[in-house]
Amino acid sequence: MSLQQQVVTEFERQFGAPPSVVVRAPGRVNLIGEHTDYNEGFVMPMAIDRATWIAVRPRSDQTVRLHSMDHDETTEFQLDALERGKGWQEYPKGVAWALREKGYALTGWEGTTICDVPLGAGLSSSASYELAVARAFAGVSGFSWDAPKMALISQQAENQWVGVNCGIMDQMISAVGEQDHAVLIDCRTLETTSLPLPEGTSVVILDTATRRGLVDSAYNERRRQCEEASRYFGVRFLRDVTLEQFDARGKQLDEVTRRRARHVITENARTRMAAEAMKRNDALCLGELMNLSHDSLRDHFEVTNHELNVIVDLSRATRGCLGARMTGAGFGGCAVALIESVQAGDFVKGVVSAYRDETGLNPAAYVCRASEGASEVKMVGPEESD
Ligand code: ADP
Ligand code: MG
């Protein structure tokens, strides 16, 4: 049964009637442009074919009641009396809070949710959940859907309600994703350019089965170092430092801050070059840029862990691989590889077994397709379903 069918079936079991609105919002994998979003730079993620689904119907009061099939728990809160708590219910509460802050009039609803983005694996289940909730509110409250605006509101929910200091990439791609395309996003202007993958290539996500754990402090330290480097160059964000300026003036920075800045400045350049490579259908160049991105994240930004480096090295040594790198914030989670589509089956088998042998861990690997961003799904009536 598809997730859509499962969430609708569960809704009908709980409420005795079909839902009036079904929404989905995808997770993401970032092809290139890592730790650049909070420097107002460039990223090039794609929305993946894994998503949070929510089936809902409106209520006549200010109550939101949501059953999570993944947690096997139901949460309930009042839109006009939101209180901070802990756990998975803080995401929908945070989105409700941020929407109200921006002046949206919200209707209560009840519903069920299910998700096949692995939670906490670095594929941004959190953004997929936020955007799905925002889309559900749009569906029942009847306000118009403005994708970048909803991404900003969801980011505000995660930053200020949940308390995770993330950049804008995850929410943007979950909102604006396009089927069969990666999306170059300018994180300053939120301008987007959709680009198809080079012909004959596929994207494989490789989950190291390690998790980033308690590394908020390392992430916040990277952000502080980027701010320090920006101050040194006299700009608000590293986005505004060119490679020439870095080469000319970077030497006086202390060694660690210089390496952090070097990563961000070169990564912005690589991401724009990667977009140009895609426009030329140049798979080799795109793959090489992904390799360079990983090396910079490993050596200069220092956000990889041993397992990410192992899975990337094994991928690169496996037939059909055009490029491989860690993806997401790092310190654990997933890598992404660009491969020749005809080699997909053997590539996945080869890397999974080599990684298992080397680390004793059991990795997951998915060949994934780019999917559409947050959307309301047209319900198929019983007469159309067979
Ligand atoms: P990531 O975004 O990389 O998957 P995060 O730590 O940012 O990891 O978010 C994971 C947390 O978000 C989960 O532990 C859970 O509390 C919550 N979450 C995300 N998606 C869902 C969902 N669809 N349903 C319920 N909770 C979710
Ligand atoms: Mg997240």
Side-chain angles (χ1 to χ4, degrees):
M1 234 202 305
S2 71
L3 286 201
Q4 177 175 357
Q5 287 166 325
Q6 288 181 54
V7 80
V8 169
T9 303
E10 178 62 20
F11 183 98
E12 287 171 347
R13 201 183 64 78
Q14 294 214 357
F15 301 104
S20 49
V21 178
V22 178
V23 298
R24 63 169 279 289
R28 63 97 186 94
V29 61
N30 189 20
L31 299 185
I32 192 162
E34 215 65 80
H35 287 274
T36 46
D37 61 350
Y38 55 81
N39 290 293
E40 292 204 344
F42 296 88
V43 296
M44 192 160 55
M46 67 186 218
I48 58 176
D49 44 2
R50 289 174 168 253
T52 296
W53 291 78
I54 310 181
V56 297
R57 68 176 179 196
R59 291 175 60 113
S60 54
D61 58 14
Q62 288 285 290
T63 300
V64 170
R65 189 161 201 278
L66 178 62
H67 177 76
S68 163
M69 293 172 70
D70 308 293
H71 291 89
D72 195 20
E73 263 174 35
T74 301
T75 186
E76 192 174 302
F77 56 86
Q78 303 301 320
L79 291 169
D80 47 9
L82 293 167
E83 281 171 29
R84 284 188 158 77
K86 268 195 163 42
W88 63 274
Q89 47 278 56
E90 294 314 297
Y91 295 82
K93 257 193 245 167
V95 171
W97 167 79
L99 282 166
R100 285 170 57 95
E101 284 283 297
K102 287 282 178 294
Y104 286 89
L106 301 183
T107 305
W109 47 265
E110 52 206 358
T112 56
T113 183
I114 192 167
C115 176
D116 64 354
V117 185
L119 305 186
L123 300 178
S124 212
S125 67
S126 59
S128 91
Y129 190 22
E130 289 150 11
L131 268 298
V133 168
R135 193 81 226 206
F137 272 116
V140 296
S141 308
F143 59 80
S144 67
W145 182 257
D146 175 327
K149 202 168 177 180
M150 290 299 141
L152 286 166
I153 285 171
S154 298
Q155 183 200 17
Q156 188 186 356
E158 185 146 347
N159 289 168
Q160 293 176 33
W161 189 276
V162 181
V164 176
N165 201 14
C166 57
I168 189 63
M169 169 169 71
D170 300 352
Q171 288 79 11
M172 264 303 276
I173 188 62
S174 185
V176 307
E178 200 176 313
Q179 191 167 354
D180 295 326
H181 289 71
V183 184
L184 174 71
I185 301 170
D186 180 335
C187 296
R188 170 164 288 168
T189 62
L190 301 190
E191 190 189 335
T192 61
T193 313
S194 299
L195 298 160
L197 285 179
E199 258 164 59
T201 67
S202 299
V203 166
V204 178
I205 295 174
L206 298 153
D207 186 340
T208 60
T210 62
R211 294 294 175 256
R212 61 181 186 272
L214 297 170
V215 294
D216 283 0
S217 57
Y219 176 81
N220 290 331
E221 180 187 57
R222 296 302 181 284
R223 290 192 64 144
R224 268 199 310 280
Q225 290 163 332
C226 290
E227 286 161 19
E228 194 185 321
S230 310
R231 268 197 302 281
Y232 170 79
F233 285 104
V235 294
R236 281 199 57 212
F237 295 98
L238 283 179
R239 149 74 174 266
D240 295 309
V241 181
T242 63
L243 283 168
E244 292 72 28
Q245 287 166 331
F246 177 76
D247 287 339
R249 292 191 50 216
K251 292 179 196 68
Q252 284 111 49
L253 270 170
D254 76 87
E255 208 262 325
V256 173
T257 313
R258 182 169 72 240
R259 282 193 284 123
R260 305 293 188 253
R262 174 195 294 276
H263 166 73
V264 173
I265 295 163
T266 57
E267 184 78 351
N268 274 328
R270 279 188 291 273
T271 304
R272 297 165 91 165
M273 283 191 274
E276 292 308 311
M278 286 174 80
K279 288 181 193 157
R280 297 194 304 273
N281 199 26
D282 187 343
L284 289 178
C285 179
L286 176 60
E288 185 53 29
L289 289 162
M290 290 171 69
N291 286 339
L292 292 170
S293 167
H294 182 85
D295 297 352
S296 173
L297 289 157
R298 182 192 60 209
D299 301 335
H300 299 312
F301 215 65
E302 296 181 285
V303 290
T304 64
N305 67 355
H306 173 67
E307 289 79 4
L308 282 166
N309 294 331
V310 168
I311 215 160
V312 162
D313 288 344
L314 292 171
S315 297
R316 289 177 185 173
T318 302
R319 196 165 156 179
C321 184
L322 298 157
R325 59 183 289 278
M326 57 154 269
T327 187
F331 306 105
C334 294
V336 59
L338 182 73
I339 62 159
E340 292 165 18
S341 303
V342 291
Q343 305 284 353
D346 289 347
F347 174 87
V348 166
K349 270 195 231 121
V351 175
V352 164
S353 92
Y355 180 80
R356 216 177 262 152
D357 290 347
E358 186 152 343
T359 61
L361 295 166
N362 206 6
Y366 343 97
V367 180
C368 64
R369 280 192 66 182
S371 84
E372 187 193 357
S375 54
E376 190 171 315
V377 179
K378 222 177 143 275
M379 287 286 289
V380 178
E383 69 284 0
E384 298 163 62
S385 66
D386 46 26

